[in-house]
Structure formats: structure tokens, C-alpha cells
Amino acid sequence: MSLFTSSSFLLVFHVIPLLAVLLLFFTHPNVLRSSTSSSSSWTVTWNFPSSSSSISRAFYSWVEVQPANGLSNETIDIVASHHEVATAHQQPPPPFSSALTPAPTPTPAPSPTVTKLDGEEESTEDRNISSSSTTGRASVANKTVLTRLQKIERSLLKARSSIREAAAAAGDNYQQLIIRNSSSISSSKGTTLLIDADDDPDYIPRGPIYRNSKAFHRSYLEMEKLLKIYVYEEGELPIFHNGPCKSIYSSEGTFIHEMEMNQVFRTTDPNEALLYFLPFSVSMMVSYLYDAADRQNLNGIKVSVTDYINLIANKYPFWNRSLGADHFMLSCHDWGPRTSSFVPNLYHKSIRVLCNANTSEGFNPSKDASLPEINILTGETPSIGGSSPSTRTVLGFFAGHLHGYIRYLLLQQWKNKDRDLQVYEELPRGLSYQTMMKKSKFCLCPSGYEVASPRIVEAIYAECVPVLISDGYVPPFSDVLKWKSFSVMVKVKDIPNIKNILMGISQRQYLRLHRRLKQVQRHFVVNSPPKRYDVFHMILHSVWLRRLNIRIDDLDP
């Protein structure tokens, strides 16, 4: 009897619990793991982390030679280097913080799941589960339900794969790929437009002005299909939802205006947006909040930007979800970078579209985009075109006041000293600035106090090959355009040798530069309303690329 009692005791209190634990381990391994892991990935559904999100960011360059077959489906070889970006930018940077990256979690035992992709309808049970949270994912009865954000990330994953495939394709293979992957582009009127390589209503990128024309074409079509931007409605005129459209800062005002009016890429539903636009104008802040009598006091601008970010962060979940990584600001004022520095996450994590794209002052080509500086004094795009190459009698031309150290060196070396290289601080009476640009082969575009100059776009309009004289400047759209194919890059230290550099360009090389310059004009033209591949859409594409290269992971249930 005592033996029976002892055996029963052993069976009840030792063997059965052990068997139960083993059974639980093999059927639901994550239950036991939840006590040893404080974070998880999308695939773990039982244990939930304490952090709200993590961001995976990578920095790539266009695939030009080798195929991209070595990449995982999570990344795509795109985005941004300029002609001389430091080698440090050629590798993916580390995560923003180790605290933002989930610790690796052992892979759970495989179990059959049904993953709903875009376009699939959810059952009533699915909707009840997903409605409890807009940022997590739950699993019930072995059925995985994706949130709206996760569906967005799935669509971006497909876009990356499509672009990578196009980048690696060549010749006839790309023509077949385009036909096979013809994209359905929905217009603002709800109609559907099928675009392929032989039936593009406007333009198909081709030629050496592009880093990879096939990848750019496919990326642009994917942008037209997927990109949705939510413009925050908070903020009042004249600082918000407004900007200068008739000044040297016209790029800022015209984009804000077109973004506010746009019905194709703008969405009124923030939950379906890929990107979030912060519609403040740094130029207007300087005009209304800066006291010129107290030049060091920027407190008014600082308070305005800080309060605005705090407002949207408290009212909406999207800023905190990504720490601002899927938000973008745009500024053509010299103080754009400084204004963004008042909010650390805006400076370090958000996409900053800046005319002042200076790598020595914190511009990061892996997440920031360069904005062309366009001076539109009348509100209308200046005339485009110029004399034929054979009638351009002036080798090089520049006219401008002393404005920064680089111009000082240029004027000191060449002002009124050469008939072939005509450099003026003040144009002589009777000479027209536009006429001189249209009769010159090369137009010198030195940086001023800041790196950007409206002369670059003015030269493109006048079909005068731009000569960029700068250190640390990232030209606009350099993730797509191959600037060396239609412009000349001169380092500041080579200013004394500019004439020899230009004289060393043969007539055949010059004609090639001129021909390509005419081809690239369409990407810098300001249209109202915007047209495909114009400057408005190229700015959007630059921002789209940066969004395409980050992945926002939901971790909370």
C-alpha cells in the first residue's frame, strides 16, 4: 500500500507535469521562450515586446554592371550616391540604435499558416482581430492577419523585387519584362492606365544620362502605382501650407503648392500613406519669425518647429511609430538644415529634401534628397533653349556678386582677365545675362555661402553645359542621373586650372555633353499642373526611393 502511494505520488507530481511541459514545448514553443526574450519579430505571435517599433535601414547604389541576384528579397539596390560620395556611404549604416533593433529570436517550429496579401478580403473574425490594433499582428487558429502597415511593407517588398529584376535585365529581356509586369496605374479619376515599354504615353528613360535607366523606369512606374502621401492639415498660413513661388526659393513654394493640390499622390487617409509630409516653409519662418536686428536669435523658428512636431506626435501615432523615418520636410532656404536640427529625430532620421545638400554640414545622401534651386521671379518657368553648339562663341561664362569663399577665389583668379573665360562681378552695360548663357558653351556654377546655386538649372534651361565648382555638394536626383554625362565637375582647388580643363574637352565630347543636357531638361522643368518625369515628380521619386529603402516593423499586438 505504501509502495502504491509512493508510486502514485511520483506519477502525479513528477511524471505528468513533465509530460505536460514537453507537450507544450513541442506544440507552442514560443510560450516557453517568452520569458527569455524581450523582443520578437513579425513571426512570433505569442510573446510581445515592450518596444513599439524597429526600423531597418540600408543604403545602396544603382546596379549598373553586376546583376542583383545576390540580394535577399528584403532589399533592393537603389538610392543615392553623388559623383564623389565618400566611401563611408557605400555601405549600409548601422541601425539608429541597438535599442530599436529586435534581438534575434529562435525560429518557431513550422506550422501551417494562411497569410493574407493585398487584395484578399478578410473574414469577420479577421477584421475583429485586426481592429483591436492598427500596428500589430495576431494569429488565431493558425491564420495570420496582416495590419495595414504590414500590407504596405509587403507591397514595397514586391516593388523592390520588381526594380531589382529590371535593373538586372538587359536589352530584349527588359522589353519582355516590362510587358509581363505592365503596371496598372490608377488616375485621380479612377480610370486604369496600362503602361509598358511600347505604350508609354509620355516618356521612357533611356541613355547614358541615367545610372540605370531600366531600374529608374520600373521604379517610377512602381511609384505611380503605390505612392500615397499624407499631408498633415495642422498649421496655419502663412508659415504652413504655403511658400514663396516668385523668388530664389521657388522650389520650396511650388512643391508645397502642388503637393497641397495634388489628387494623385496625396491621400486623406493617413493609414494608407507610405509617407507623411510636414508642410512648413523655412523661408516663410525666416520672413515672419526671424528678427534681423538680433541675428543670433532663432528662438522663434525653433519653437515653431518643435511645437509642430510635438503636436503631430501627440495627435497621430505615425511619427512615434517610425521615429519620423517615413516623414519628410522640404526646404530651399539656406537655413533648412539648421531648422531641422532643432528636432533631433527630424535631423537624424526623417527625410530632408534640401537645396543646401552639403555633406560637410550633415547632409546624408542615404536618407536625405537634394532639391534643385530654381529662381522663378515671374512665377513662370524661364524660356528653355539656346543657340546651337556651332554658334556658341564663348568658352565659359559667369556673372555674380561676391558670395562666399569659392566665388572669392573664382573672381580673384579670373575676373575680367580672359576673353574666352568671361567672368564678371557686374555685367557690363549692354550685356544680357540670359543671352550670355545661351551663347556660351560652358556656364560656371560656383557655390555661394551654401553649396546650391540656381545657375545650375539656369544653365540646363539655356543648354549651356554646367560646370559645378564645389566641395561636398550632392547634385539633385544623383541617385538616378549620371551628372558626369552632361556636366563638368571641378574641385575648388582646381579653379586656377578651369580654362585648361574646359579647353581639354574635345568638340566631339562637348557635342555629346550638349546633346545629353537637352535630354535631361525635362527633369528640371516646372509645370503647372505637373507632368510625368518633370521636377515635381522627380522630387517625389527621390523621396519614394528613400522610403523604399527603409522597412518599418510593427512589433506590438
Side-chain angles (χ1 to χ4, degrees):
M1 184 67 179
S2 62
L3 179 61
F4 175 77
T5 303
S6 175
S7 300
S8 300
F9 179 85
L10 181 65
L11 179 65
V12 172
F13 291 98
H14 292 279
V15 177
I16 293 179
L18 179 61
L19 292 175
V21 169
L22 291 175
L23 179 63
L24 182 63
F25 176 79
F26 286 108
T27 58
H28 297 85
N30 292 320
V31 172
L32 297 181
R33 291 192 184 107
S34 63
S35 62
T36 60
S37 176
S38 61
S39 61
S40 66
S41 67
W42 278 3
T43 56
V44 180
T45 58
W46 279 69
N47 56 318
F48 301 110
S50 58
S51 61
S52 60
S53 67
S54 74
I55 304 165
S56 300
R57 182 187 296 274
F59 168 51
Y60 308 95
S61 59
W62 283 98
V63 177
E64 296 188 61
V65 181
Q66 57 261 62
N69 55 7
L71 294 175
S72 70
N73 288 334
E74 295 293 337
T75 59
I76 175 66
D77 277 355
I78 56 175
V79 184
S81 60
H82 68 297
H83 61 287
E84 292 289 344
V85 170
T87 56
H89 291 305
Q90 295 174 2
Q91 300 296 329
F96 297 130
S97 169
S98 58
L100 296 178
T101 305
T105 304
T107 304
S111 59
T113 60
V114 178
T115 302
K116 293 183 180 292
L117 301 178
D118 293 358
E120 296 187 13
E121 295 184 359
E122 295 182 350
S123 64
T124 303
E125 179 185 34
D126 296 337
R127 286 194 296 269
N128 291 337
I129 296 169
S130 61
S131 65
S132 63
S133 172
T134 60
T135 58
R137 182 167 75 169
S139 180
V140 174
N142 291 331
K143 183 181 294 184
T144 303
V145 180
L146 296 182
T147 66
R148 298 180 76 169
L149 174 61
Q150 291 165 343
K151 289 181 180 180
I152 288 174
E153 293 298 335
R154 282 292 182 91
S155 66
L156 294 178
L157 178 64
K158 294 177 183 178
R160 295 184 192 108
S161 178
S162 176
I163 298 168
R164 184 175 61 253
E165 188 177 4
D172 295 337
N173 292 335
Y174 179 65
Q175 299 291 328
Q176 297 173 4
L177 175 66
I178 291 296
I179 294 174
R180 186 174 76 247
N181 292 334
S182 293
S183 302
S184 295
I185 311 298
S186 297
S187 72
S188 59
K189 297 181 179 179
T191 58
T192 298
L193 177 66
L194 291 179
I195 298 178
D196 60 48
D198 298 319
D199 191 28
D200 193 326
D202 290 325
Y203 179 73
I204 295 177
R206 290 191 179 96
I209 67 170
Y210 302 105
R211 291 182 176 273
N212 188 311
S213 61
K214 298 180 288 292
F216 172 44
H217 186 215
R218 171 50 51 187
S219 176
Y220 190 93
L221 297 182
E222 293 290 346
M223 177 191 76
E224 289 184 315
K225 181 172 63 174
L226 298 175
L227 181 60
K228 292 296 179 184
I229 298 173
Y230 181 75
V231 181
Y232 286 109
E233 298 180 356
E234 288 69 24
E236 298 180 358
L237 297 172
I239 293 175
F240 298 89
H241 310 282
N242 181 43
C245 295
K246 296 181 180 180
S247 74
I248 197 172
Y249 305 124
S250 296
S251 297
E252 184 175 311
T254 54
F255 181 87
I256 294 174
H257 172 74
E258 295 297 345
M259 195 68 251
E260 293 278 344
M261 302 297 294
N262 193 271
Q263 297 181 359
V264 177
F265 296 103
R266 183 178 180 181
T267 177
T268 57
D269 181 3
N271 290 293
E272 73 172 11
L274 273 70
L275 286 159
Y276 302 86
F277 180 46
L278 305 167
F280 59 80
S281 168
V282 176
S283 300
M284 302 306 286
M285 286 183 178
V286 174
S287 297
Y288 286 90
L289 302 178
Y290 174 65
D291 183 4
D294 188 3
R295 300 180 64 86
Q296 300 302 318
N297 187 359
L298 301 181
N299 190 59
I301 298 176
K302 177 180 180 179
V303 170
S304 181
V305 174
T306 304
D307 286 352
Y308 189 73
I309 298 299
N310 287 336
L311 172 65
I312 65 169
N314 290 325
K315 186 173 181 179
Y316 302 92
F318 311 108
W319 176 272
N320 293 327
R321 182 180 68 184
S322 67
L323 302 179
D326 53 358
H327 290 59
F328 73 100
M329 61 164 284
L330 181 141
S331 173
C332 202
H333 196 278
D334 293 350
W335 291 358
R338 189 173 183 183
T339 301
S340 66
S341 69
F342 295 135
V343 180
N345 283 340
L346 180 62
Y347 184 90
H348 292 290
K349 297 177 174 59
S350 296
I351 302 167
R352 301 179 304 157
V353 186
L354 304 171
C355 285
N356 188 9
N358 190 346
T359 56
S360 67
E361 296 181 4
F363 183 88
N364 182 359
S366 68
K367 74 169 192 68
D368 298 328
S370 179
L371 178 67
E373 187 169 328
I374 304 176
N375 188 2
I376 306 178
L377 296 178
T378 63
E380 297 181 359
T381 303
S383 62
I384 296 177
S387 304
S388 64
S390 61
T391 61
R392 291 179 179 258
T393 57
V394 179
L395 175 65
F397 167 71
F398 170 79
H401 295 292
L402 185 62
H403 192 265
Y405 181 64
I406 296 178
R407 290 196 196 178
Y408 168 78
L409 295 177
L410 179 66
L411 292 170
Q412 182 187 50
Q413 184 73 36
W414 293 104
K415 177 182 173 182
N416 302 326
K417 293 181 180 179
D418 195 284
R419 297 188 63 180
D420 295 323
L421 194 64
Q422 299 189 22
V423 176
Y424 303 99
E425 187 172 2
E426 288 282 352
L427 269 178
R429 187 183 298 271
L431 286 184
S432 165
Y433 181 80
Q434 291 295 332
T435 301
M436 286 297 298
M437 293 191 81
K438 292 184 178 184
K439 65 185 293 187
S440 300
K441 291 183 176 180
F442 300 94
C443 287
L444 308 186
C445 306
S447 296
Y449 285 116
E450 303 298 346
V451 290
S453 169
R455 285 169 179 77
I456 297 174
V457 176
E458 290 170 351
I460 293 174
Y461 287 170
E463 298 172 4
C464 179
V465 177
V467 180
L468 278 61
I469 308 174
S470 178
D471 288 333
Y473 178 51
V474 182
F477 318 137
S478 350
D479 35 18
V480 169
L481 300 179
K482 191 183 297 181
W483 276 81
K484 284 187 176 181
S485 70
F486 57 87
S487 67
V488 178
M489 309 287 186
V490 175
K491 294 182 178 179
V492 175
K493 66 181 181 64
D494 293 326
I495 286 179
N497 201 34
I498 286 182
K499 184 176 180 179
N500 292 335
I501 293 174
L502 299 183
M503 292 289 290
I505 298 174
S506 67
Q507 180 68 7
R508 182 177 180 180
Q509 290 174 314
Y510 165 69
L511 292 175
R512 186 184 301 120
L513 290 169
H514 183 268
R515 182 174 64 251
R516 293 171 180 173
L517 186 65
K518 294 182 67 174
Q519 183 182 357
V520 84
Q521 281 176 336
R522 70 167 60 243
H523 299 312
F524 293 88
V525 174
V526 179
N527 294 306
S528 185
K531 298 179 181 179
R532 300 182 73 229
Y533 292 101
D534 68 0
V535 68
F536 174 77
H537 288 90
M538 292 296 287
I539 295 169
L540 286 183
H541 185 262
S542 294
V543 180
W544 151 260
L545 285 183
R546 275 106 187 127
R547 177 61 179 91
L548 202 61
N549 269 353
I550 63 173
R551 189 182 71 249
I552 302 172
D553 294 349
D554 280 342
L555 297 180
D556 279 355

